[in-house]
Structures are given as structure tokens and as C-alpha cells.
Amino acid sequence: MINVTIFRDSSDEYRGVSLVGHAGYANRGQDIICAAASILSTNLVNSIEELTNDNISYNVDEDTGLLSMSFCDKQISSESKLLVDSFILGIDSIRESYGDTYIKISYKEV
């Protein structure tokens, strides 16, 4: 299962995103759910780096299926907010299509 966590602070600002695990929908290299989640999360990081002035840090571990991204600054741009909203829309669409067996989404206050 891919566990997706969206981190927000007490004022409901995004602080980061974490994905960990493998969907287990199919064998490695053929798992369309893992591929879709990987594309969405990689695109989120790349888009924030290329299209905004926000500073982020991130960590990737292919063996565990980890992609963890956090914003370095307290305030983030409206563009980054939109990009995170888009990521959530995409990952939730995958969850709705394939079910909670493969993707779990949670929100955590930090």
C-alpha cells in the first residue's frame, strides 16, 4: 500500500507531502498504480522547483517507495499551493479508481 500524508500547519498551510510504500497492484515494473503515484509526486517536486521561487527539501528511496518533500519557508506561494492541490486531486482520483487497498491518504498537522 502507498501511504500518502499531506502535512499542514495550524493555519492550514501546506508544509509538505510524503509517500511511502508500494501499491502491490502488480509486479514491479508493471504496477500502474505505483507508476501513476510516482509520476504525480515527481512532477510535484519538479514543478515546485522549476515554476516557483519556493524552497523545498526532499528525499527519495526507491526501495521503500519513499518520496518526502517539505517546504523550507513558513510562507509558500499561491503557485505551490495550486501545485499541491493538483497533486492531491490526482492522487485522490487514483485512490477513487482503484480503492483504499492500494492508496491511503491522510492529513497531519505539524
Side-chain angles (χ1 to χ4, degrees), residues 50-101:
E50 294 296 321
L51 303 174
T52 77
N53 291 321
D54 293 319
N55 296 311
I56 59 171
S57 64
Y58 61 91
N59 192 14
V60 177
D61 183 338
E62 288 183 28
D63 291 333
T64 61
L66 171 74
L67 185 144
S68 178
M69 183 277 298
S70 60
F71 290 99
C72 298
D73 302 319
K74 183 73 174 160
Q75 297 288 342
I76 65 170
S77 66
S78 60
E79 292 87 0
S80 283
K81 290 176 189 176
L82 181 62
L83 290 167
V84 175
D85 285 341
S86 178
F87 166 79
I88 294 168
L89 179 65
I91 205 78
D92 192 47
S93 293
I94 297 168
R95 185 197 55 78
E96 286 178 3
S97 294
Y98 292 95
D100 294 330
T101 302

Side-chain angles (χ1 to χ4, degrees), residues 14-33:
Y14 292 124
R15 302 306 322 138
V17 172
S18 174
L19 292 85
V20 66
H22 295 285
Y25 181 77
N27 292 331
R28 186 178 177 138
Q30 299 176 344
D31 194 323
I32 60 174
I33 296 173

